[in-house]
Amino acid sequence: MTWQRTTSQWFRLPAERLWEVLEQLDRWPEWNPAVGAASLDGPLREGIAGHYAPSHRLLGPLHRRTAPAFQVAAAEPGRRLMLRQPQPGGTQSIEWILDERHGGTLFTQRVTLEGPLAQQFGLTAGEPLVRGFAAQCARLYRLASPETAAGDGGSPDRAPLTVIAGGSGFLGTLLAADLVCDGRRVALLTRRPEASPFDQLPWDGRSPGAWSERLAAEPALDLVNLSGVSLDMPGTPENLAKLEASRVEPTRALVEASRSWPTPPRHWLQQSAVGIYGDSPEEFDEATPPPPHAPGLAAVVRAWEDSVRGAPAEKLTVMRTGVVLAREAAIMERLAAVARMGGGGPLGTGQQWFSWIHAADWLRIARAALGVVPSPREVAVSLPGGVVNATAPYPAQNRELMAHLREFVGVPVGIPAPAGLLRVAAVVLRTNPQLALDSVRAVPGVLRRAGFQFDYPQLASAFRELKA
């Protein structure tokens, strides 16, 4: 039995700069917070033994007492480093591969567990090592390139700054890390600054302040607004008001502040959601007006989009995003947990439409909206300003989604959940049943016309990547 996770990130750095960090195993905890300590018993070479311990307060001491030493199974300077450690009945291997290409380096991390208990050890030993890979890469970039990167060229102080509001969430971290690894200047607007691989500017999310004065001094600025608490809560009037305020207030603060800046943002990327189209089996693209009076979450999104009107940006892109699929996305973790317990059957009628986007494609769309092409390996796509449906070209019905989900978790049978039962279960799970029952069939008309090529256009290909 095998458990494996493979993830990659492109760096605008030569391989030798990354290798200088990777070969020093004692620096592993500096870029992967899941590792508490690591060391070798001598100079790096194939066959040398070493030890590492998780940073987890319970698993770390246990690992130190019981885990055998690992051995360096491969050490190819500037190219590949592989560690292999015995596990009960099998092995764990951690492999880092550097592939210099396109004026930079593709860094791949592969964690593999083999043996009869591979799945169990994958959850306890493997998963922590790969979780937060984007932030790991941002830390690795900082260590490999301690000087401030110049981004578009010129002196570091004059390089454009990308500011991300709501950047501490999954999508914000994904985008910020990708931009950092591309050598760009990034800062997060955050209510609660904490240990982070990114520069942070404190704000209250409601009004201009010192953060606005700081940004006013920037000669060139791109702005990304991802602010908003998770939609995964009961759809009570109080919660809907909370969802709306967490989106509208930060957006209004950004609009108000930006009007006082001497230079407007070059690009303004405004997150939105396909929920604005309401509950309907009809197909919607950007040319289709959303229903003006749809209630619930649709009303929240309408107010969200209304709050950015009048933003003084050279180019404003409103990304109406579908459900983002990624292993670490909260919605995937919630659905996978239910499916593992046997609840992976169709929800409601199973015929409602599900608009989705793979996280890798969402990231490429966001970069295009910001005018960023990270390396020559990608074809530049010019997106117009205005509304862009950030969804895969082929929406799926719920029954197809749940079938892929059952395969993903390895549970072939799932109990269907009629709408009534789902509403009762939603009360217990403290969620909004409309997230699963509403039918949203949004398609990416603007992206199609712009020639955007999806890496994951079909739900089947997206789930194959999630299992890799």
Side-chain angles (χ1 to χ4, degrees):
M1 187 173 291
T2 300
W3 182 98
Q4 186 176 86
R5 295 288 184 269
T6 303
T7 42
S8 298
Q9 174 65 49
W10 186 84
F11 287 72
R12 194 177 291 279
L13 287 174
E16 63 183 78
R17 298 284 291 277
L18 294 168
W19 179 259
E20 289 170 0
V21 179
L22 295 177
E23 68 174 343
Q24 302 179 60
L25 262 295
D26 60 329
R27 303 193 72 183
W28 191 7
E30 295 181 43
W31 59 272
N32 189 336
V35 179
S39 63
L40 290 173
D41 292 346
L44 178 64
R45 59 175 174 81
E46 289 189 16
I48 191 71
H51 302 265
Y52 94 91
S55 58
H56 192 280
R57 64 185 183 87
L58 297 179
L59 295 180
L62 178 64
H63 193 277
R64 288 187 181 94
R65 289 195 302 269
T66 62
F70 65 74
Q71 280 196 325
V72 176
E76 303 172 36
R79 294 183 56 193
R80 179 170 173 254
L81 179 59
M82 183 176 181
L83 315 177
R84 183 173 289 131
Q85 182 179 44
Q87 296 280 357
T91 60
Q92 173 180 261
S93 63
I94 301 160
E95 185 177 17
W96 299 315
I97 302 169
L98 301 175
D99 182 7
E100 207 163 77
R101 57 170 75 175
H102 306 306
T105 302
L106 184 68
F107 169 61
T108 299
Q109 174 176 263
R110 182 175 295 117
V111 178
T112 307
L113 288 104
E114 296 179 312
L117 299 177
Q119 299 304 314
Q120 290 84 347
F121 280 110
L123 294 176
T124 58
E127 196 68 43
L129 290 175
V130 301
R131 179 169 289 275
F133 179 73
Q136 290 181 34
C137 289
R139 294 185 185 93
L140 180 57
Y141 182 93
R142 299 289 196 196
L143 295 172
S145 182
E147 70 278 7
T148 303
D152 289 349
S155 68
D157 290 340
R158 304 296 293 178
L161 175 68
T162 301
V163 178
I164 305 178
S168 59
F170 170 72
L171 290 179
T173 300
L174 187 69
L175 178 58
D178 188 77
L179 294 175
V180 164
C181 291
D182 191 37
R184 296 174 184 272
R185 298 173 60 221
V186 175
L188 309 185
L189 290 174
T190 177
R191 290 179 175 88
R192 292 177 294 276
E194 56 188 20
S196 169
F198 312 111
D199 294 336
Q200 299 172 81
L201 298 175
W203 78 327
D204 63 3
R206 295 181 176 180
S207 57
W211 62 271
S212 177
E213 297 173 8
R214 163 68 179 80
L215 297 182
E218 289 291 331
L221 184 70
D222 294 328
L223 183 59
V224 180
N225 182 19
L226 305 175
S227 297
V229 299
S230 171
L231 297 174
D232 191 11
M233 61 177 66
T236 63
E238 295 78 13
N239 283 342
L240 291 174
K242 178 180 178 180
L243 292 172
E244 182 174 318
S246 72
R247 287 158 171 77
V248 170
E249 289 178 357
T251 304
R252 287 176 175 166
L254 290 168
V255 171
E256 181 183 352
S258 62
R259 286 173 176 161
S260 69
W261 299 341
T263 304
R266 303 183 311 169
H267 302 89
W268 185 312
L269 174 56
Q270 174 70 31
Q271 178 76 315
S272 182
V274 295
I276 196 170
Y277 296 116
D279 177 17
S280 172
E282 302 300 319
E283 186 174 278
F284 289 86
D285 69 6
E286 297 87 347
T288 312
H293 304 296
L297 294 176
V300 170
V301 183
R302 281 199 307 275
W304 193 9
E305 290 194 6
D306 287 344
S307 64
V308 80
R309 297 186 191 280
E314 295 178 20
K315 181 180 177 182
L316 171 65
T317 303
V318 177
M319 278 178 59
R320 289 178 181 164
T321 300
V323 175
V324 179
L325 298 184
R327 276 196 299 265
E328 295 181 27
I331 184 65
M332 277 298 298
E333 293 181 341
R334 165 85 82 161
L335 289 173
V338 172
R340 287 191 181 97
M341 294 186 293
L347 305 179
T349 65
Q351 297 179 359
Q352 65 271 32
W353 288 94
F354 173 72
S355 293
W356 62 277
I357 183 79
H358 190 284
D361 282 328
W362 181 91
L363 179 60
R364 293 174 55 234
I365 297 166
R367 288 198 304 249
L370 293 170
V372 174
V373 178
S375 77
R377 68 191 170 95
E378 286 197 17
V379 177
V381 174
S382 178
L383 295 182
V387 174
V388 174
N389 282 352
T391 62
Y394 300 105
Q397 290 182 297
N398 176 266
R399 60 191 176 201
E400 180 185 353
L401 166 68
M402 302 310 289
H404 284 296
L405 192 65
R406 292 194 299 274
E407 182 181 1
F408 176 71
V409 301
V411 178
V413 178
I415 301 172
L421 177 61
L422 188 63
R423 290 189 176 94
V424 173
V427 174
V428 177
L429 296 174
R430 302 291 299 165
T431 188
N432 186 344
Q434 298 313 122
L435 293 172
L437 294 174
D438 281 357
S439 182
V440 182
R441 194 179 180 184
V443 293
V446 169
L447 292 172
R448 281 173 169 164
R449 290 189 291 273
F452 183 87
Q453 298 296 313
F454 288 84
D455 287 341
Y456 304 99
Q458 303 272 5
L459 200 56
S461 62
F463 270 92
R464 278 196 298 271
E465 191 283 330
L466 295 179
K467 292 184 69 175

